[in-house]
């Protein structure tokens, strides 16, 4: 019997719970189509800004010895308007558009660029750890978070999620503000501020010196955050942070996530990762006799 | 600890060879890169400057690898200027490699695009009949002609040079000579690396004749491992699916020979 892997993240229904995380591979519609065919339930675009950004000079990504990645790509992206015209032909792929900006008007402008595109949700990146004036600095400013979400919710009927990370403000405060402002779901977590120094040349490796740590090292932290958010709020959660196996995915469901996002593991295992994780989830559900994902979401909280 | 291909391994430059007034070869010792397959590349970190993808050049010494670089932008000029005794960091090797056929082979290279082709020459069978075409703007920019002849010393072979200004070899575009040669000789396979419009024409001409053809593509690369998406061409990622692609696959891709992406990911025309 084919297992039904569909899931609901508040108002958004997806056929499969595995989503390509923002920042990974997300700059062309052809690639989105390929990843969707490879098994992803949805794809999140690179974070788009009002104007095109080139990002930082290389090196922008390298691995951590023992597992994980550190990156400071610097939010390179073609800008919301260019990107919207590029995905305009989309018919099939559930695309979640990620946005970054420093004031509410940026978001209003960007949302309007996508009026004629098939977009299933927006994800507000309130947590990029390595670009000034956007990302974490916005997520740390609760007044600004409130204004941005209210503006965005006013500008579109499409579901809106907020991606949070660990900044200088308690992320629970950011989530609380987002929930009060009417957000439809929370993506948790983003990468965490990190760096590595080469001991021969005695320099930081990233051109930006400091970047974001992703992959397996941050998974236990992400599970903890998803668990805390789901314990404190009635809000759908998209779990993200170091998911590389179906067991990881199930752990996030049990912590309270209704869907999961996969990023770094694409670098380690390539795009077959979506199919592998979907298959593993199916087998687990069969073994545990679940007929839908929702039956296991948040189960760990009751124990 | 075992070497992590995705974390920079630091190498000291041991020797620098000037190939032309703007092209240099940097030689260094390494355990892995001397033995890569033809077409594979490394991400090369120039500490304090930048990092860029480089096809791995052959060296004539055991345990040594090389990069051949033309100074052009910030990163390539940075690598060009790395002196003997200074350090670079390497990640990789990454990417796939040429499918090496047997029989009559044609290699078409422009500039530093000759690097993966020279490595390919070290893999040919002694019985293979190999033709190498080298395209350059002018005589001063011709390099690796002697090296190609040396590698192919024991093979039936010819190395032909075409310059745009006619200052050396035949005058014209290397693709004019490709057209002439593949009409005269039935090749088993054509391999090309160099400027994209040169490769596009070479792939088109070969494909029309029904000859197996492969090209090694170049795109803006940041991660080199299929995470950042910068190097996408259609649905393919040059770093992870390439850099070598079959001609028929490329001709079905509307971006090949027409557009590339900028650092911001905006499509631009060649």
């Amino acid at each position: 019997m084919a297992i039904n892997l569909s899931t609901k993240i508040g108002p958004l229904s997806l056929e499969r719970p595995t989503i390509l995380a923002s920042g990974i591979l997300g700059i062309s519609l052809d690639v989105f189509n390929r990843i969707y065919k490879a098994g992803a339930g949805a794809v999140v675009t690179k974070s788009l800004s009002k104007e095109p950004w080139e990002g930082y000079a290389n090196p922008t990504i390298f691995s951590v010895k023992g597992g994980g990645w550190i990156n400071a790509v610097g939010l390179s992206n073609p800008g919301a308007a260019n990107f919207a015209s590029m995905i305009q032909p989309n018919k099939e792929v559930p695309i979640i558009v990620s946005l970054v900006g420093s004031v509410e008007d940026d978001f209003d402008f960007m949302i309007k660029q996508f009026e004629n595109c098939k977009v299933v949700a927006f994800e507000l990146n309130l947590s990029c750890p390595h670009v000034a004036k956007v990302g974490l600095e916005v997520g740390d400013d609760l007044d600004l978070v409130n204004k941005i979400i209210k503006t965005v919710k006013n500008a579109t009927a499409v579901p809106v999620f907020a991606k949070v990370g660990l900044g200088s403000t308690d992320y629970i405060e950011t989530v609380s503000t987002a929930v009060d402002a009417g957000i439809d779901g929370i993506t948790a977590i983003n990468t965490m501020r990190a760096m590595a120094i080469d001991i021969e040349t005695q320099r930081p490796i990233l051109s930006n010196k400091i970047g974001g740590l992703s992959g397996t090292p941050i998974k236990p932290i992400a599970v903890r955050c998803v668990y805390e958010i789901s314990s404190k709020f009635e809000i759908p959660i998209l779990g993200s942070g170091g998911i590389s196996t179906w067991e990881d995915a199930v752990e996030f469901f049990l912590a309270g996530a209704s869907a999961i996002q996969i990023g770094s593991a694409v670098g380690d295992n390539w795009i077959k990762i979506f199919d592998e994780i979907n298959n593993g989830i199916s087998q687990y559900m069969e073994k545990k006799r679940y007929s839908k994902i929702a039956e296991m979401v948040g189960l760990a909280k009751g124990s | 600890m075992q070497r992590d291909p995705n974390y920079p391994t630091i190498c000291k430059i041991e020797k620098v060879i000037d190939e032309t007034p703007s092209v240099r070869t940097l030689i260094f010792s390494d355990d892995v890169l001397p033995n890569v397959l033809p077409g594979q590349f490394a991400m090369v970190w120039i500490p304090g400057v930048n990092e860029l993808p480089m096809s791995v050049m052959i060296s004539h010494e055991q345990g040594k690898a090389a990069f051949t670089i033309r100074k052009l932008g910030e990163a390539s000029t940075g690598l060009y200027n790395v002196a003997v005794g200074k350090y670079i960091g390497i990640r990789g090797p990454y990417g796939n490699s040429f499918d090496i056929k047997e029989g009559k082979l044609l290699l078409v290279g422009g500039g530093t695009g000759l690097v993966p082709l020279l490595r390919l020459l070290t893999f040919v069978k002694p019985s293979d009949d190999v033709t190498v075409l080298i395209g350059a703007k002018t005589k001063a920019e011709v390099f690796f002609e002697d090296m190609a002849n040396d590698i192919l010393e024991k093979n039936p072979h010819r190395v032909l040079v075409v310059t745009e200004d006619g200052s050396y070899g035949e005058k014209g575009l290397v693709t004019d000579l490709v057209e002439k040669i593949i009409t005269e000789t039935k090749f088993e396979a054509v391999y090309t690396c160099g400027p994209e419009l040169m490769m596009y024409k070479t792939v088109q001409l070969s494909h029309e004749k029904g000859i197996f053809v492969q090209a090694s593509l170049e795109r803006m690369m940041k991660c080199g491992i299929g995470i950042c998406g910068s190097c996408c061409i259609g649905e393919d990622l040059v770093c992870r699916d390439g850099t070598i692609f079959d001609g028929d696959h490329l001709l079905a891709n509307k971006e090949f020979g027409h557009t590339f992406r900028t650092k911001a990911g905006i499509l631009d025309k060649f």
Side-chain angles (χ1 to χ4, degrees):
Chain A
M1 189 190 84
I3 292 282
N4 176 5
L5 282 179
S6 68
T7 189
K8 280 183 71 115
I9 308 129
L12 174 62
S13 296
L14 298 178
E15 285 171 38
R16 293 175 295 276
T18 45
I19 299 171
L20 177 75
S22 182
I24 313 296
L25 298 176
I27 58 169
S28 105
L29 183 55
D30 291 330
V31 173
F32 290 152
N33 270 299
R34 180 176 171 187
I35 292 165
Y36 181 56
K37 285 189 188 117
V43 297
V44 188
T45 69
K46 274 188 180 279
S47 290
L48 301 163
S49 48
K50 197 174 167 188
E51 304 293 334
W53 286 349
E54 288 196 349
Y56 298 130
N58 280 350
T60 45
I61 307 181
F62 57 89
S63 66
V64 178
K65 287 178 180 174
W69 299 85
I70 298 179
N71 91 83
V73 172
L75 297 172
S76 66
N77 80 88
N82 284 322
F83 193 85
S85 60
M86 196 265 303
I87 62 161
Q88 212 279 324
N90 178 47
K91 291 193 179 67
E92 200 184 4
V93 187
I95 295 178
I96 298 171
V97 171
S98 173
L99 301 173
V100 283
S102 25
V103 290
E104 61 269 30
D105 290 352
D106 291 353
F107 289 88
D108 192 52
F109 171 87
M110 291 189 283
I111 295 272
K112 288 193 166 67
Q113 308 306 309
F114 290 92
E115 272 170 4
N116 298 315
C117 295
K118 186 183 181 296
V119 166
V120 298
F122 289 99
E123 182 180 270
L124 311 178
N125 179 352
L126 306 180
S127 46
C128 171
H130 53 69
V131 178
K133 309 286 181 224
V134 298
L136 267 183
E137 285 184 37
V138 172
D140 284 339
D141 183 339
L142 300 177
D143 185 43
L144 189 53
V145 168
N146 176 53
K147 279 188 200 152
I148 289 170
I149 293 169
K150 285 195 168 142
T151 302
V152 170
K153 285 299 294 174
N154 203 32
T156 181
V158 170
V160 182
F161 306 138
K163 185 169 182 176
V164 300
L166 304 185
S168 58
T169 298
D170 183 354
Y171 79 101
I172 289 290
E173 298 283 316
T174 310
V175 172
S176 177
T177 304
V179 170
D180 288 347
I183 204 77
D184 297 299
I186 298 286
T187 303
I189 57 173
N190 208 315
T191 60
M192 298 178 66
R193 284 170 72 78
M195 79 185 295
I197 297 165
D198 171 58
I199 61 165
E200 186 63 55
T201 60
Q202 305 176 331
R203 289 172 178 278
I205 297 174
L206 290 172
S207 74
N208 189 56
K209 300 178 177 65
I210 288 174
L213 175 65
S214 66
T216 48
I218 71 165
K219 199 202 80 181
I221 299 166
V223 171
R224 181 265 295 180
C225 293
V226 168
Y227 184 88
E228 285 181 344
I229 296 167
S230 85
S231 301
K232 291 188 165 74
F233 304 95
E234 287 293 323
I235 190 78
I237 303 166
L238 301 98
S240 158
I243 296 166
S244 66
T245 64
W246 69 263
E247 290 95 332
D248 295 340
V250 169
E251 195 178 347
F252 275 79
F253 295 138
L254 297 174
S258 301
I260 53 111
Q261 297 189 352
I262 301 168
S264 302
V266 174
D268 294 313
N269 304 319
W270 201 218
I271 58 178
K272 65 180 191 323
I273 187 83
F274 293 100
D275 227 18
E276 287 171 4
I277 291 182
N278 289 336
N279 289 338
I281 296 169
S282 292
Q283 284 168 24
Y284 178 81
M285 288 172 67
E286 211 164 355
K287 193 178 108 187
K288 295 283 187 186
R289 300 184 183 278
Y290 294 141
S291 60
K292 50 183 198 290
I293 301 270
E295 289 174 46
M296 61 175 144
V297 171
L299 277 188
K301 284 185 291 176
S303 51
Chain B
M1 201 177 196
Q2 203 188 346
R3 176 160 167 177
D4 179 344
N6 300 317
Y7 188 87
T9 296
I10 302 298
C11 301
K12 191 191 265 188
I13 299 301
E14 294 167 8
K15 195 173 165 188
V16 172
I17 301 166
D18 282 322
E19 309 287 359
T20 79
S22 60
V23 177
R24 269 181 189 164
T25 298
L26 282 59
I27 299 171
F28 55 95
S29 296
D30 187 52
D31 297 334
V32 175
L33 294 195
N35 309 313
V36 303
L37 295 168
Q40 288 194 294
F41 69 99
M43 292 300 294
V44 182
W45 177 38
I46 310 106
V49 183
N50 212 311
E51 184 190 47
L52 78 172
M54 293 293 301
S55 187
V56 185
M57 178 61 187
I58 53 171
S59 82
H60 301 288
E61 291 171 77
Q62 194 74 23
K64 292 190 198 295
F67 295 116
T68 297
I69 183 78
R70 179 190 299 279
K71 58 174 172 179
L72 204 65
E74 180 190 88
S76 60
T77 304
L79 182 56
Y80 178 92
N81 287 327
V82 176
V84 170
K86 299 291 184 193
Y87 296 98
I88 56 172
I90 50 176
R91 294 191 288 125
Y94 297 128
N96 62 358
S97 61
F98 289 111
D99 280 344
I100 306 166
K101 305 284 184 186
E102 291 178 30
K104 287 194 167 66
L105 307 177
L106 175 64
L107 282 63
V108 183
T112 51
L114 283 161
V115 167
L117 300 180
L118 287 175
R119 184 173 292 275
L120 177 62
L121 290 183
T122 66
F123 281 75
V124 302
K125 302 273 184 306
S127 55
D128 291 338
D129 181 346
V130 186
T131 302
V132 180
L133 305 186
I134 298 176
K137 283 200 165 61
T138 184
K139 184 180 178 181
E141 288 183 25
V142 177
F143 56 100
F144 292 158
E145 181 190 9
D146 293 344
M147 197 182 294
N149 276 311
D150 289 347
I151 299 168
L152 293 170
E153 197 183 11
K154 296 195 171 71
N155 284 73
H157 77 277
R158 54 188 167 162
V159 178
L160 304 172
V161 178
V162 182
T163 54
E164 286 177 32
D165 65 2
S167 53
Y168 186 69
E170 285 200 36
K171 183 177 176 174
L173 292 173
V174 70
T175 46
D176 299 336
L177 190 56
V178 172
E179 188 163 15
K180 192 173 144 212
I181 274 186
I182 63 171
T183 308
E184 291 167 0
T185 308
K186 172 78 180 129
F187 287 97
E188 285 303 315
V190 177
Y191 304 99
T192 182
C193 185
E196 186 142 320
L197 297 178
M198 179 203 86
M199 292 195 286
Y200 181 68
K201 185 89 190 190
T202 300
V203 168
Q204 262 191 330
L205 290 166
S206 309
H207 188 77
E208 280 165 19
K209 299 264 183 229
I211 307 169
F212 175 81
V213 56
Q214 288 187 315
S216 173
L217 264 57
E218 182 169 46
R219 283 293 182 277
M220 165 55 56
M221 258 184 217
K222 294 181 180 176
C223 72
I225 41 130
I227 287 185
C228 74
S230 305
C231 68
C232 70
I233 166 167
E235 67 163 31
D236 293 321
L237 279 301
V238 170
C239 69
R240 193 97 190 205
D241 299 309
T243 63
I244 316 293
F245 295 94
D246 288 355
D248 51 356
H249 185 78
L250 285 173
L251 291 174
N253 189 320
K254 58 191 183 297
E255 292 184 31
F256 176 57
H258 295 94
T259 53
F260 63 96
R261 281 176 199 273
T262 65
K263 282 181 190 168
I266 299 169
L267 271 182
D268 204 346
K269 289 193 168 68
F270 275 108

